[in-house]
Amino acid sequence: MFTSRPDERGVVHCCAVDESFNIVDGEKMKKIYNGKKTAKLGTEKRPAVVHVQTEERLKELASIFEENGWKYTIGLEPDKPEDIIDFEILMNTQKPKIAEKKVGRNEPCPCGSGKKYKKCCGK
C-alpha cells in the first residue's frame, strides 16, 4: 500500500507501507525476484525429477544419472505419460560459443590480394 501526506510546508511525501509489492503506474505488482539464487538442476538442493512408465526405463535413466553424478528422483507411474523434461535439460546443456576473430580494417585482406581489408573486401 502506498501512502502520501503533506507536511507542515505542504510538501507531499510518499512512502511504501508494504514491501512485498511494487507500485507501478498506480497498480500493485507482486515482486518476482526475492534475492535468492536458485540451485543448479541435478544438485542436492534441486534434484532432477522424472516420471517413467516401466521398470526397465527406470533402471536406464538411473544408470545415466549415476554416471554423470546428478542427483535425481524417479517416479514409476505406469498409467501416466512419461515426463523426462529435467533429464532432457541436463543432457542438452548448451556449451559456450567461441566467436571467430574478426579481421581488422588495417590488416591484410583474408582473400589473399595483399591489400588492406578496408580497401579490398571491407567496402
Side-chain angles (χ1 to χ4, degrees):
M1 190 166 100
F2 224 38
T3 62
S4 61
R5 54 187 151 76
D7 65 3
E8 62 276 352
R9 292 175 291 159
V11 177
V12 177
H13 297 278
C14 297
C15 59
V17 176
D18 185 3
E19 293 186 18
S20 64
F21 291 95
N22 285 338
I23 306 298
V24 178
D25 296 329
E27 295 181 23
K28 285 186 180 180
M29 291 182 60
K30 195 146 179 103
K31 284 186 180 181
I32 296 171
Y33 182 69
N34 64 0
K36 295 180 181 176
K37 195 174 179 183
T38 59
K40 186 177 176 185
L41 185 63
T43 60
E44 195 74 41
K45 290 184 178 180
R46 186 174 165 215
V49 179
V50 295
H51 300 283
V52 295
Q53 292 180 328
T54 64
E55 186 76 30
E56 182 179 308
R57 182 75 168 145
L58 186 140
K59 290 177 182 176
E60 176 187 348
L61 289 177
S63 67
I64 294 171
F65 279 117
E66 293 293 332
E67 279 178 27
N68 292 299
W70 296 324
K71 303 299 179 195
Y72 61 93
T73 302
I74 301 178
L76 181 62
E77 299 173 351
D79 53 336
K80 292 185 180 177
E82 190 171 83
D83 178 21
I84 58 168
I85 293 172
D86 285 354
F87 174 72
E88 290 172 349
I89 291 170
L90 285 170
M91 290 300 290
N92 298 320
T93 56
Q94 292 184 346
K95 305 287 187 272
K97 294 181 181 177
I98 299 172
E100 294 179 20
K101 187 177 178 186
K102 293 183 179 179
V103 179
R105 285 177 41 88
N106 291 320
E107 294 184 19
C109 189
C111 74
S113 66
K115 296 182 182 179
K116 288 185 178 181
Y117 179 72
K118 67 181 180 184
K119 298 272 186 177
C120 186
C121 297
K123 289 185 176 184

